[in-house]
Amino acid sequence: ERRLAELGIRPGDLALDCGANVGTVTEALARLGAEVHAFEPNPHAYEELERRVGSLPNVHLHPVAVLDRDEGVRLYFHRNSASDEVAWSVGSSLVPTKGNVDPDRYIEVRGIDLGRFVLDLECSVKVAKIDVEGVEHIVLHRLIDSGAIDRIETVLVEVHDAHMPMLREDTRRLVERLRAEGLERKVRLDWS
């Protein structure tokens, strides 16, 4: 909450919580007065998210995965999720090769083009938090390619290359692109 407050969020500012899980960040943003759009594709986490913040007038919930396109995709569950679907929901991912998911346990979920979503908004976005378990690179490239990145003041991203070595090259290329396009201050890759 302190890190979010440092961004100078004021009542009425628009915020996006992509990979909202059970709503910790969504709730913090809402308490600061932001109008929050929270995206969460895991149905077990979404149920808790809805219970926790669904009645807040400044929170809008979306049971979808953010991507670079509108289409159905598979959401793979954490290999331990059968023991506690909510607790292990943080590990679910659209990436079947992520080390902690069970590639045989998944559901079909709806994905949306985050770039188009941002461009369709009537105002700019103060902050977008993107923690989507391995597809951050895809989403960020789409935000840049579509020009939607220009409508967002600050993007807080958790990249997962420390736990997903196959993403290290994607992260390196993303860092180079952010630097080349002067976006390294706007897009912070150290959210966790």
Side-chain angles (χ1 to χ4, degrees):
E1 197 165 325
R2 178 188 53 76
R3 286 185 70 193
L4 295 171
E6 290 172 358
L7 297 173
I9 297 169
R10 293 186 295 277
D13 283 342
L14 189 59
L16 307 179
D17 187 359
C18 304
N21 196 254
V22 298
T24 304
V25 173
T26 299
E27 188 173 33
L29 289 164
R31 274 200 303 267
L32 291 169
E35 190 81 15
V36 186
H37 286 273
F39 304 86
E40 177 52 53
N42 183 299
H44 308 289
Y46 185 84
E47 187 177 309
E48 179 64 18
L49 173 69
E50 192 170 40
R51 186 198 64 71
R52 185 176 187 173
V53 297
S55 64
L56 298 177
N58 56 330
V59 173
H60 311 279
L61 302 179
H62 307 274
V64 299
V66 296
L67 282 168
D68 60 342
R69 62 201 179 280
D70 295 323
E71 75 177 34
V73 292
R74 288 179 176 176
L75 177 72
Y76 297 89
F77 292 110
H78 190 281
R79 65 177 168 251
N80 296 330
S81 66
S83 67
D84 187 335
E85 296 286 5
V86 175
W88 292 104
S89 63
V90 295
S92 56
S93 176
L94 302 178
V95 181
T97 55
K98 185 176 180 225
N100 63 357
V101 300
D102 180 346
D104 297 321
R105 247 186 112 233
Y106 61 86
I107 59 169
E108 297 288 332
V109 298
R110 196 174 118 233
I112 65 158
D113 178 346
L114 186 64
R116 184 194 44 75
F117 182 89
V118 169
L119 292 172
D120 287 347
L121 292 169
E122 295 180 8
C123 60
S124 62
V125 176
K126 178 73 173 180
V127 62
K129 186 270 292 179
I130 303 174
D131 181 2
V132 289
E133 299 303 309
V135 295
E136 293 82 6
H137 306 88
I138 294 167
V139 173
L140 284 166
H141 284 297
R142 171 64 177 145
L143 289 174
I144 296 167
D145 293 341
S146 68
I149 196 79
D150 298 331
R151 304 220 31 223
I152 306 172
E153 186 174 313
T154 302
V155 183
L156 304 172
V157 182
E158 180 176 358
V159 292
H160 293 86
D161 55 354
H163 303 292
M164 299 171 72
M166 72 276 211
L167 295 177
R168 289 187 182 137
E169 182 60 22
D170 292 330
T171 299
R172 187 193 62 72
R173 282 195 303 267
L174 178 62
V175 167
E176 285 179 2
R177 183 174 189 189
L178 294 173
R179 203 173 288 132
E181 299 197 26
L183 295 170
E184 67 270 39
R185 290 182 190 260
K186 177 186 286 236
V187 180
R188 301 180 190 176
L189 301 179
D190 61 350
W191 177 262
S192 57

